[in-house]
Amino acid sequence: PPRFDNSSMFRFHRCSIAVATATVMRTTSMCSALMHSLPPRLGNVLSIANSITMSSPRPLALLDVCGDHALLPIHASATPNSPFSSFISSDISENACRSALETIGSIPSSVPVDVVNCDGLKPYVDAPSPNRTLYVTVIAGVGVRTILSILEPLATSPQVSNFPHLILSPTNTRSTNLNKLFCSEALRRYNLVLCKVNKERERFYFALHFSQITAASGASPRPTTTALSSYVDPLDSESL
């Protein structure tokens, strides 16, 4: 299995990137096995990501922030004829990066997946202007507050055009939390174009696709607090 080399890591406060890549061969049988082990809520996220890339005129990289075990990039890379140009799993936690590398190393079939130890989107947002990589950015499995913290640099960065698509899947889906997400300054340049919902163990999970491209082309505006006020989470005790 690939190992995370501590000597190659940079300090977190420098917002630098340390990359470790695991490369193995891909087979159709392993793709089938992988898809069965992907949680349904991440299956929705992967489905949205694949559909975005297949309809894009330019190559897109998959950037999974807070990737933890790197399950999403692993499954995306194992998809036959995957439309992504590259696959990245990032996390600010060194332990999470180690777990991701261990997961990648335990699977005998995949295209290269980069494990990046960094603070959210900061290294990508602060990259020099010649960096024209376009990302499908996924933030899943964390709360709305963490998502907003990660997206905060996009509110003022000139590099925001490098992030045309966001797929957000927060763990807390109460109406008050979703209102904070939709009305955040970081999403003012984006429109919600798709929402997939699934239920796991008596809880509902949302996969929200926000697109900057549709916002620029005059699509209907993103939902406001008023539009979301009618949403009631069946498991939200404040709504019962």
Side-chain angles (χ1 to χ4, degrees), residues 153-177:
L154 293 183
T156 56
S157 173
Q159 301 277 21
V160 67
S161 60
N162 287 10
F163 304 87
H165 299 280
L166 306 175
I167 305 176
L168 311 178
S169 183
T171 54
N172 46 351
T173 56
R174 292 182 176 181
S175 56
T176 52
N177 292 318

Side-chain angles (χ1 to χ4, degrees), residues 180-218:
K180 292 178 183 178
L181 181 63
F182 279 104
C183 298
S184 67
E185 183 67 15
L187 291 179
R188 66 184 176 85
R189 304 184 190 182
Y190 294 84
N191 280 337
L192 176 67
V193 295
L194 181 63
C195 173
K196 287 192 174 185
V197 185
N198 72 285
K199 185 178 180 182
E200 290 183 42
R201 297 181 181 178
E202 302 303 317
R203 186 157 190 84
F204 291 89
Y205 291 90
F206 289 68
L208 307 165
H209 171 204
F210 290 88
S211 174
Q212 189 182 101
I213 295 175
T214 54
S217 61

